[in-house]
Amino acid sequence: MQGPLNTRANTYISRDLPSPVDIRVQLERIISSPEFPPAGHAHAFLRYVVEETLAGRGSRIKGYSIAIEVFDRDEGFTQDDPVVRIAAGRLRRTLERYYLVLGQNDPVRIDILKGRYVPSFSWNNSAREPLSIELKRPLKPTVLLNKWPRFTVMSAFSIAVCIAALAYWTIGPPLTRVLAQGGNTASPNEPTLAVAPFAHLGEESETKLYALGLTEELLTVLPRFKEINVVGVETSGTLPSDVTPVQVRAELGARYLLKGGFRVSDSRVRITARILDTATEAILWSQTYDNDLRDQSLLSIQSDVANKVATAVAQPYGVIPQTDAENSTQDDLDAYGCTLRFYAYSTELSVEKQAQIHECLEAAVARYPSYATAWAMLSVLYADEDRYGYNLQSGSPPLLERALQIARMAVELQPNNIRALQALMTALFSSQKLSESLLIGEQAFALNPNDTEFLGEFGSRLAMSGQWQRGAVLLDQAITINPSSAGYYHGHRAFAAYMLRDDPTALSEIRQANLQRFPFFQLLAAIIYAECGMQGDAKREATQFVMSRPTFISHIEAELSKRNIFGEDRIRILTGIRKVGLLSPLVASARLTPPAFSLGLQARQ
């Protein structure tokens, strides 16, 4: 149970746990549903463990008591009789399937975790009420009203919000407080992925165990990507390896199916994997991984392949998100569609797309106030407005403080959400809270090192904080896995190479960076060209940079401080700028923070 959060960064109040009345209503809803089998002991099993828990006797629920009370076994029952374990597994799978299909919008969740019989009770989708957060601008009435058919479960309170937004848009101040009712338990339309047990294709007797181990590894790493839903291990484990996409769609409602095979022959290991669209049965992606047991252990191979598959399939620029992005329309303001367009925006960072995605995300969090991913992306947009000057509007609190508040709230909503942790890392870094920023970054990296959207950002932050070598390694990984954002990553990689005095790499990387979209990289290009003796190129980039950012050099101390660049790193950059001819030749001191330099655009002779 969580009480009010009255900190500077968290401004919502979470709901208490479901009451016994809420739980009993949900129990009857589940038992009476067509998804719940009428035959067997499932009804009695679920009712018994729920009522015992509500009566405060949860600690007494054991396999022995269930066998006697539910299955009418005599007092001589022993654990050699598997009836309770089998029934519990079936019940877990039934509940999992129920919440995937009919129960996805139910207010309360009843779950029985693997390895125990005591049920857990929670609000579905971590609903919180009431939630309040100050947004950048009032929601335009067209955002909410043009998409009215989508708001099928809006409460009367939410409708009142729309009316208030309309009035505020007409007569109110530029900043409004949007209140969203936390009782709306519908979830964003995120895709669901089912993982079938990998087929064991070899003749070795252990091959089946190897295949099961790989499947288990995949079911561990895939759920770390929060933009997709992964069918749990209880249900996945019951699927046959030759299950068809049509069966998966009909029984689980999953949009995608991951399946494959595992073959061992002598010392060679071959693993195949593919993603299928359950609606069309089309193969969207396939890959073969060959390994040698003389070079790697089997556990290492399983872990390595699982990470590669998860990265290819589920990371923001992977097969599933990109397939969904290609199938979405520009007019679709679905909450999940907003997150897909955020990734498209982040690859090019245009002021036009920033305004569109900002409006879309504000509508998304109004409808889904506990959608941590959307709040995290909104935080990043506020930080971008401060960093790049996009669509600036007056308001309070300042942009960075607003970004930090929302990022902290997103992490509170879903502590293991990588996008929320990335937003918090970015907001802290921009707020010059370097130690805390990197600590959050390390936490996110430990949770999911396969997320390239985070990997590139974390590598950039590490580099600018002075960890240039480690930042370069992570940036190389991000570029290899996700070349679509390489224009941004190449610029930071060139920065790291310059600071590491690796001129050939710096020159190669800066030539691949998007200099027009990121003006700081244009200054960096001028510095690198000057370092390599390419004076004509250096002068050209320096001139264009000053035209696009005329006040940057005159505020160079503040600009470098904002990027957390200090000490010897700052001196090296200032020295590079002086070589370009953008700083007048003043006598440099030995201090770690050099004096301010005046602007001069004379060419270096």
Side-chain angles (χ1 to χ4, degrees), residues 145-446:
L145 300 181
N146 285 356
K147 297 296 176 181
W148 191 257
R150 291 184 175 275
F151 288 72
T152 56
V153 291
M154 289 180 68
S155 63
F157 184 92
S158 298
I159 297 173
V161 170
C162 298
I163 297 172
L166 175 62
Y168 244 83
W169 187 257
T170 307
I171 60 175
L175 179 66
T176 186
R177 180 175 296 273
V178 178
L179 301 176
Q181 174 70 355
N184 182 355
T185 58
S187 300
N189 189 31
E190 294 175 333
T192 299
L193 170 67
V195 181
F198 273 45
H200 46 99
L201 306 175
E203 297 178 358
E204 299 287 340
S205 59
E206 298 89 353
T207 303
K208 182 177 180 179
L209 295 177
Y210 299 160
L212 289 174
L214 175 61
T215 307
E216 186 78 19
E217 191 79 24
L218 283 165
L219 288 168
T220 299
V221 297
L222 281 166
R224 295 172 183 168
F225 295 95
K226 299 305 178 184
E227 286 92 342
I228 66 171
N229 297 314
V230 181
V231 176
V233 64
E234 285 289 340
T235 298
S236 296
T238 64
L239 297 174
S241 60
D242 60 350
V243 66
T244 66
V246 173
Q247 288 175 304
V248 168
R249 190 174 186 85
E251 295 180 14
L252 302 178
R255 199 181 309 174
Y256 300 100
L257 171 64
L258 171 62
K259 60 189 308 187
F262 198 111
R263 182 189 301 275
V264 178
S265 179
D266 296 326
S267 65
R268 301 295 300 170
V269 177
R270 169 165 288 188
I271 299 172
T272 59
R274 58 188 179 278
I275 287 288
L276 298 100
D277 186 321
T278 60
T280 64
E281 299 189 76
I283 298 176
L284 304 176
W285 169 87
S286 65
Q287 187 62 271
T288 300
Y289 303 92
D290 287 317
N291 295 275
D292 195 320
L293 288 172
R294 291 171 296 186
D295 300 327
Q296 281 182 284
S297 69
L298 195 57
L299 288 177
S300 177
I301 291 172
Q302 287 176 342
S303 178
D304 181 57
V305 171
N307 283 326
K308 287 178 178 177
V309 171
T311 302
V313 167
Q315 59 111 347
Y317 305 94
V319 176
I320 291 178
Q322 289 306 300
T323 299
D324 285 339
E326 291 170 4
N327 293 332
S328 66
T329 64
Q330 288 299 315
D331 295 330
D332 181 14
L333 288 185
D334 165 76
Y336 175 63
C338 285
T339 66
L340 294 177
R341 283 195 288 280
F342 171 87
Y343 295 123
Y345 153 76
S346 68
T347 62
E348 63 175 79
L349 291 179
S350 70
V351 64
E352 297 80 14
K353 284 197 172 183
Q354 194 271 352
Q356 295 169 4
I357 193 63
H358 199 139
E359 190 172 82
C360 185
L361 286 171
E362 285 186 345
V365 296
R367 184 181 180 192
Y368 301 109
S370 60
Y371 192 14
T373 298
W375 282 113
M377 292 175 173
L378 199 56
S379 169
V380 172
L381 292 185
Y382 280 125
D384 285 355
E385 288 169 21
D386 179 79
R387 286 189 289 181
Y388 306 126
Y390 288 165
N391 301 305
L392 291 175
Q393 292 192 14
S394 59
S396 179
L399 288 171
L400 278 183
E401 185 177 340
R402 210 175 309 183
L404 190 55
Q405 287 178 352
I406 294 176
R408 289 193 188 279
M409 186 184 68
V411 172
E412 190 71 30
L413 285 167
Q414 196 172 29
N416 61 348
N417 186 304
I418 299 299
R419 208 61 59 234
L421 291 168
Q422 177 184 335
L424 181 55
M425 176 190 71
T426 301
L428 288 167
F429 190 93
S430 298
S431 302
Q432 298 183 350
K433 302 178 186 294
L434 184 59
S435 296
E436 189 179 354
S437 171
L438 297 184
L439 187 64
I440 294 296
E442 296 289 1
Q443 179 184 344
F445 184 68

Side-chain angles (χ1 to χ4, degrees), residues 20 23-24 47-61 118-119 121:
I23 294 167
R24 288 189 172 99
R47 191 182 297 279
Y48 171 76
V49 296
V50 167
E51 290 297 342
E52 285 294 291
T53 302
L54 292 179
R57 296 189 292 270
S59 61
R60 302 180 188 176
I61 299 176
V118 180
F121 313 119

